[in-house]
Amino acid sequence: MNTVWTLFLSNLRTKKIQNGLTTVLILLSTLLLSTAMTVISNTQNLFTDMHTKANGSHQILMLGNGLHDPIVFKQWWDEQQGVTASELIPYRNLSGITHQGKEINNIYMFMMDTAELPFTVDKLIWAQGDERSTPEVGTIWIPTSFFYSNGIEVGDKVSFKTGKSTFELKVAAVVVDMPFGAPFTRNARIWMNTQDYKDQFQSLQGKDMYMMGLRFDDYDTNTQYWDRFEKQAGTQYLEYKMEFESISSFYLIMNKVIGFVMIFLGAVMLLVALFTIGFTISDAILANYRTIGVLKSCGLSSFRIIGTYMSQYAFLSIIGIIPGLAASQFLSKVIVESSLSSLKTNRSELSMQGNFTALAVGICVFALVILCVLFYANKARSVQPVQAIRYGMSEMDSSKWARRVRSNGNRPVGFDRLPIMFVIGLRNMLKNVKGSILMFILTVITSAVLVFGFVLLYSVYSIQRTASSWGYDNSHIAVEVFNQAAFSRTQFEEDMLSDPRIKNFGWFGNVTGVVPSELSDRSGDSNTSSMNVYIGVADGNYDDLGYSTLRGANPLHKNEIAIGINVSKKLNKDIGDVITVYINGKPYSLIVTGIYQAISNMSYSARITIDVIKADHLDYSNAETYFINLHDSSQSDQVVSDINEQYKEALSALTQKTLLDSVFKEAVGLLILPMSMMGLLFIVVTCIIIYITCRINIRKDSKTYGIYKSLGLTSNRIRLSVAQGIVALSVIGALLGIYVGVYLLPMLLENILTYYGIVEVPLIMHWGGIIGVAVVSIISAGVGSWLSSRVIANTSPRILVIE
């Protein structure tokens, strides 16, 4: 045992740098994997815990078109066992809000007539302000998602536009509102005092709409309740319904993307670390072959020799894993709190869990390191003492080496005809094949990670160029009508047609459609259940408005419809199939002309033209949004200003860039930290592993480099030759890494986003930036190789030759 202990301490003392860098590799692998697992588990747990605490709804129903009697509808649900219905809350829509003289864009508000608390479903959880049963007169409660993203403070006053006038209310409290509190949401429930609600909206044209939440004891049984409702009511539910999947999706999507990518890259980093450890052990056995033979001849067993390596790397693993786990708790908390800030309150911080998960990750990493060490150190069993002492290697390897040396002089083309610096670098690569393969793989991975992170961030930041591929329009200006009573569609369209700056325009509204259950006509497919679908209605050409499809085309005629990819999957419908949709209680049989993807509504949506509805309602008009294209897009800001000034009582105009930035810049902000961290980690790992590998190779060839120096080559020329070989290899690896980062890694992202309605991630290739970040991996490789060769400069030729 003393011998093993002595060898163990000797390995720690004589290889300080190598051991330290190996420990860093294990630490970084543990950090990445543990952070990813903690982020994923906490995201789901925090949302679930808060949803349970609020007795959150599984479905939100909006009754605004008079297709169901709200009172009768509420009474029916109150009579059902196993489901709890919330209060029937009256509300009105608004889209104009101003804070400290600045208009807040792209926020669509439900102005709620607040019933007395507590609510039975979707309880409001106080984040800031005094908790009361109802808002006081002149005050409102706002959701955390709206509060944190717009810099509003408790006590601030905000102004709302109702058309001809505005009214001002003071923010008295901030609440966690689960159905409309997710990141990136553009909807917000504003909770008003009943008297304020009556004073502001009673005189306005239009009528109250109603909102109600349903919470099921077992959410999976909700279809049975709706089937019962259809049978008893004699009709499907015909108004808007928001499902639990939509409620939860944007709470979870960002951290699922981050976590999944981190797990994959963390696993890759761990594999690289294990391969590096294996390479180091294999090289150590070869370098100490004669020493191992002597130890065996003195009676030291193979098991104890293997135990020396296992104890060494077990110690290094513990040193690396413990701080890695500790750092992961801090990092995961930063990521989760930034992405789920809407669930945070002043009264209670987000309670991070996952200590057991992190511990399990640490144990797995430790076990994998030990198994890797055991596998590679087992080569010490094959060392034969006599052969080791005589040849310094096995007899077979000695024979191969002798044949290789004798054959060198017979080669028709030798290194003597090539430049000396090129020869030294090439020889270093060819002589150490395993190390060269490791460095090549590493530069491929590092450049792929850097390229993928850059492409993803750049694509989200520049989403204006690919808006149609995300399911949005691609027009220059969007005009939202918030006061129909003060809006004249005829006058507005005449003004648009007479403006020479405007190229084309069209209006876009929406209705709720219901697809009834039906027997599948495809063999092997199950029957489909009824579903509510968000249906866009356009008075104009979808292509002109900037809407695109994955397959097929947008609808043009009154018997056509385009459907979202998730609707297509759920209903087993494809291009050319006929689909029956109930709109305003009337069935329409429409031909599917196209299939598209849209992150909004998770692709549970469809598109039709106004002609579909006008076939039965000639006077139908539901102009909620106008999309306008200009001849010169640079005039967008001026046109927006002119429209807002002329129609300030009825509508709000915004540029497409403003609308998209209000949503996706938040996503960019959340992605920057984890993607930058992963890129930095891989740069550091590349430098570390190449340093270790080159250091091992230089130690093995120290006698050769001593001869080079004694023949007159300077240290810098030798070091530069070695670095040139590594850089040349990393250039090839970086080129392959660009391909992997651009074409293969995005497939991982598509696997996650498919659930959210995106099957083809719209990426923008900025090749200047792609090449620039790929070069960083090359620089990292060059720096690692240059630093590792300092031993050549710091050691005299005589000592190198003696070694």
Side-chain angles (χ1 to χ4, degrees):
M1 192 65 190
N2 279 337
T3 306
V4 174
W5 178 252
T6 302
L7 292 173
F8 164 71
L9 293 178
S10 175
N11 286 337
L12 292 181
R13 284 196 304 267
T14 58
K15 301 176 181 179
K16 294 185 181 68
I17 296 178
Q18 184 175 310
N19 290 330
L21 296 179
T22 301
T23 304
V24 172
L25 281 178
I26 296 172
L27 185 154
L28 296 180
S29 301
T30 304
L31 171 63
L32 207 54
L33 286 170
S34 179
T35 300
M37 295 299 294
T38 305
V39 165
I40 291 177
S41 63
N42 274 278
T43 299
Q44 184 68 54
N45 292 340
L46 288 170
F47 169 77
T48 302
D49 291 346
M50 190 65 78
H51 191 262
T52 302
K53 181 179 179 181
N55 205 36
S57 57
H58 292 119
Q59 293 175 336
I60 292 289
L61 313 177
M62 297 182 184
L63 307 167
N65 296 322
L67 302 177
H68 299 282
D69 185 328
I71 305 300
V72 174
F73 189 77
K74 161 73 171 167
Q75 183 179 358
W76 188 90
W77 281 104
D78 284 340
E79 294 171 354
Q80 306 308 306
Q81 300 296 319
V83 58
T84 305
S86 74
E87 294 77 5
L88 199 62
I89 309 176
Y91 74 96
R92 294 288 189 100
N93 288 326
L94 283 183
S95 66
I97 181 170
T98 303
H99 173 240
Q100 295 180 348
K102 180 181 177 182
E103 185 170 354
I104 300 175
N105 299 317
N106 201 19
I107 292 291
Y108 304 105
M109 294 162 291
F110 304 118
M111 310 301 292
M112 312 299 294
D113 182 3
T114 310
E116 189 168 342
L117 300 186
F119 293 161
T120 54
V121 175
D122 288 327
K123 298 175 183 176
L124 300 179
I125 299 171
W126 256 250
Q128 292 187 30
D130 296 330
E131 186 170 351
R132 298 179 179 274
S133 58
T134 58
E136 294 182 305
V137 175
T139 69
I140 52 173
W141 302 335
I142 64 174
T144 50
S145 56
F146 179 48
F147 173 78
Y148 291 133
S149 60
N150 291 285
I152 302 174
E153 299 291 340
V154 173
D156 287 355
K157 292 185 177 181
V158 292
S159 300
F160 300 91
K161 291 192 295 185
T162 60
K164 295 182 179 180
S165 63
T166 62
F167 63 92
E168 189 176 72
L169 296 172
K170 185 174 73 172
V171 177
V174 181
V175 295
V176 177
D177 188 6
M178 291 302 296
F180 298 95
F184 321 120
T185 183
R186 295 295 94 196
N187 296 320
R189 292 200 286 194
I190 308 298
W191 302 91
M192 299 178 63
N193 176 273
T194 297
Q195 188 60 49
D196 290 331
Y197 182 86
K198 291 179 179 178
D199 291 344
Q200 301 302 333
F201 297 112
Q202 198 168 37
S203 61
L204 291 181
Q205 187 175 356
K207 59 182 180 179
D208 287 347
M209 295 173 281
Y210 294 89
M211 191 178 299
M212 186 173 78
L214 299 177
R215 180 175 177 84
F216 299 89
D217 292 348
D218 181 2
Y219 177 56
D220 292 336
T221 64
N222 78 90
T223 55
Q224 299 174 18
Y225 288 92
W226 286 109
D227 289 341
R228 189 185 310 159
F229 171 82
E230 291 177 10
K231 290 178 182 178
Q232 294 184 13
T235 180
Q236 292 85 11
Y237 174 71
L238 302 172
E239 305 228 32
Y240 184 74
K241 176 171 64 174
M242 183 167 65
E243 301 285 354
F244 178 70
E245 290 78 10
S246 297
I247 295 173
S248 62
S249 61
F250 285 103
Y251 283 103
L252 308 178
I253 181 173
M254 189 55 66
N255 284 348
K256 279 190 175 180
V257 171
I258 294 170
F260 190 81
V261 172
M262 287 178 75
I263 285 177
F264 173 77
L265 297 181
V268 171
M269 182 181 288
L270 180 59
L271 289 175
V272 171
L274 294 176
F275 188 82
T276 304
I277 291 171
F279 171 78
T280 304
I281 294 173
S282 297
D283 179 79
I285 291 174
L286 292 175
N288 298 294
Y289 207 90
R290 182 173 279 113
T291 303
I292 294 173
V294 172
L295 292 172
K296 277 194 167 186
S297 67
C298 292
L300 192 66
S301 66
S302 298
F303 176 77
R304 291 192 174 183
I305 294 173
I306 294 172
T308 302
Y309 292 107
M310 291 186 65
S311 59
Q312 175 187 347
Y313 285 97
F315 176 76
L316 297 180
S317 297
I318 293 172
I319 297 299
I321 289 173
I322 292 175
L325 294 179
S328 73
Q329 295 300 297
F330 170 77
L331 184 59
S332 58
K333 185 175 182 179
V334 171
I335 294 174
V336 170
E337 287 191 347
S338 63
S339 58
L340 292 180
S341 59
S342 58
L343 297 181
K344 186 169 59 176
T345 72
N346 279 359
R347 306 182 181 196
S348 62
E349 293 293 323
L350 295 179
S351 178
M352 293 291 293
Q353 303 172 13
N355 290 333
F356 177 78
T357 302
L359 182 61
V361 170
I363 293 172
C364 288
V365 171
F366 181 80
L368 288 173
V369 171
I370 295 301
L371 288 174
C372 176
V373 173
L374 181 61
F375 177 80
Y376 283 97
N378 200 49
K379 295 179 181 180
R381 291 182 182 275
S382 62
V383 175
Q384 299 298 321
V386 175
Q387 295 180 13
I389 295 171
R390 182 175 181 181
Y391 301 113
M393 62 186 73
S394 68
E395 186 174 3
M396 183 181 296
D397 290 338
S398 178
S399 299
K400 290 179 180 178
W401 178 259
R403 286 196 300 270
R404 191 181 303 133
V405 171
R406 287 195 298 269
S407 64
N408 281 341
N410 299 325
R411 292 179 181 175
V413 178
F415 284 164
D416 56 316
R417 301 191 181 186
L418 299 174
I420 185 65
M421 293 184 67
F422 175 81
V423 170
I424 294 174
L426 182 60
R427 181 183 180 280
N428 182 53
M429 292 289 97
L430 296 178
K431 188 177 180 182
N432 303 286
V433 176
K434 288 185 180 180
S436 299
I437 293 174
L438 174 61
M439 289 186 284
F440 175 76
I441 293 174
L442 191 60
T443 51
V444 170
I445 294 172
T446 303
S447 59
V449 170
L450 294 175
V451 167
F452 172 68
F454 171 79
V455 170
L456 179 60
L457 284 172
Y458 185 78
S459 298
V460 176
Y461 181 79
S462 306
I463 199 169
Q464 186 179 3
R465 294 164 55 184
T466 57
S468 62
S469 298
W470 290 92
Y472 298 100
D473 69 283
N474 203 26
S475 56
H476 296 139
I477 297 171
V479 177
E480 186 76 18
V481 180
F482 61 81
N483 184 8
Q484 293 283 356
F487 177 69
S488 171
R489 177 179 174 184
T490 302
Q491 183 62 48
F492 180 79
E493 292 183 355
E494 288 178 358
D495 291 342
M496 296 301 101
L497 289 171
S498 63
D499 192 329
R501 298 172 296 182
I502 294 176
K503 181 180 180 181
N504 57 56
F505 66 91
W507 72 256
F508 189 87
N510 68 84
V511 294
T512 298
V514 178
V515 181
S517 58
E518 61 178 28
L519 297 176
S520 175
D521 55 1
R522 299 176 186 271
S523 60
D525 289 337
S526 59
N527 299 336
T528 60
S529 58
S530 64
M531 64 181 297
N532 289 68
V533 179
Y534 173 94
I535 300 179
V537 183
D539 187 1
N541 188 294
Y542 274 101
D543 296 329
D544 288 343
L545 299 181
Y547 286 97
S548 64
T549 58
L550 284 174
R551 294 184 284 118
N554 283 306
L556 292 173
H557 306 103
K558 64 180 181 180
N559 64 334
E560 296 178 345
I561 187 172
I563 59 177
I565 187 69
N566 280 341
V567 174
S568 172
K569 291 178 179 178
K570 187 169 183 178
L571 299 179
N572 302 314
K573 297 292 183 180
D574 209 334
I575 296 173
D577 290 343
V578 175
I579 183 173
T580 299
V581 183
Y582 281 79
I583 302 174
N584 295 326
K586 182 175 179 60
Y588 296 86
S589 294
L590 306 172
I591 299 172
V592 177
T593 61
I595 295 173
Y596 63 90
Q597 63 178 13
I599 198 166
S600 177
N601 297 298
M602 298 171 64
S603 288
Y604 286 105
S605 58
R607 299 170 183 166
I608 61 174
T609 65
I610 186 63
D611 296 331
V612 175
I613 301 178
K614 278 192 172 181
D616 297 291
H617 304 279
L618 295 176
D619 59 344
Y620 178 83
S621 176
N622 187 26
E624 298 175 354
T625 305
Y626 274 88
F627 294 120
I628 300 172
N629 288 308
L630 307 179
H631 292 287
D632 182 3
S633 61
S634 64
Q635 296 180 318
S636 296
D637 290 334
Q638 184 59 50
V639 173
V640 164
S641 177
D642 294 343
I643 292 175
N644 283 330
E645 178 63 29
Q646 186 174 355
Y647 297 96
K648 59 185 177 182
E649 296 181 353
L651 53 79
S652 174
L654 293 169
T655 63
Q656 185 210 42
K657 185 178 186 303
T658 301
L659 292 170
L660 293 174
D661 284 352
S662 64
V663 177
F664 287 94
K665 277 194 173 179
E666 185 179 353
V668 172
L670 294 176
L671 283 171
I672 284 177
L673 173 63
M675 297 306 293
S676 300
M677 181 199 71
M678 285 185 280
L680 181 61
L681 289 182
F682 271 88
I683 291 172
V684 172
V685 166
T686 299
C687 192
I688 289 174
I689 293 179
I690 289 179
Y691 180 95
I692 293 173
T693 307
C694 289
R695 182 103 174 181
I696 291 172
N697 294 341
I698 290 171
R699 191 187 69 243
K700 288 195 300 184
D701 293 338
S702 60
K703 186 178 296 185
T704 304
Y705 294 128
I707 294 172
Y708 291 161
K709 290 185 74 172
S710 65
L711 293 175
L713 281 177
T714 63
S715 298
N716 284 339
R717 289 191 68 189
I718 298 173
R719 295 178 68 190
L720 190 58
S721 300
V722 173
Q724 282 179 343
I726 303 296
V727 168
L729 184 68
S730 64
V731 168
I732 301 172
L735 293 175
L736 182 58
I738 290 175
Y739 175 83
V740 173
V742 168
Y743 298 105
L744 299 185
L745 288 184
M747 294 180 182
L748 296 175
L749 194 59
E750 289 174 356
N751 287 333
I752 306 168
L753 293 181
T754 295
Y755 173 79
Y756 297 95
I758 298 295
V759 294
E760 295 179 6
V761 180
L763 298 177
I764 301 174
M765 302 303 162
H766 186 289
W767 289 104
I770 289 172
I771 294 172
V773 296
V775 167
V776 174
S777 67
I778 300 173
I779 295 173
S780 176
V783 169
S785 63
W786 179 261
L787 293 176
S788 67
S789 62
R790 283 185 302 176
V791 64
I792 298 175
N794 297 334
T795 312
S796 69
R798 182 180 176 185
I799 295 175
L800 286 172
V801 173
I802 291 173
E803 289 180 351

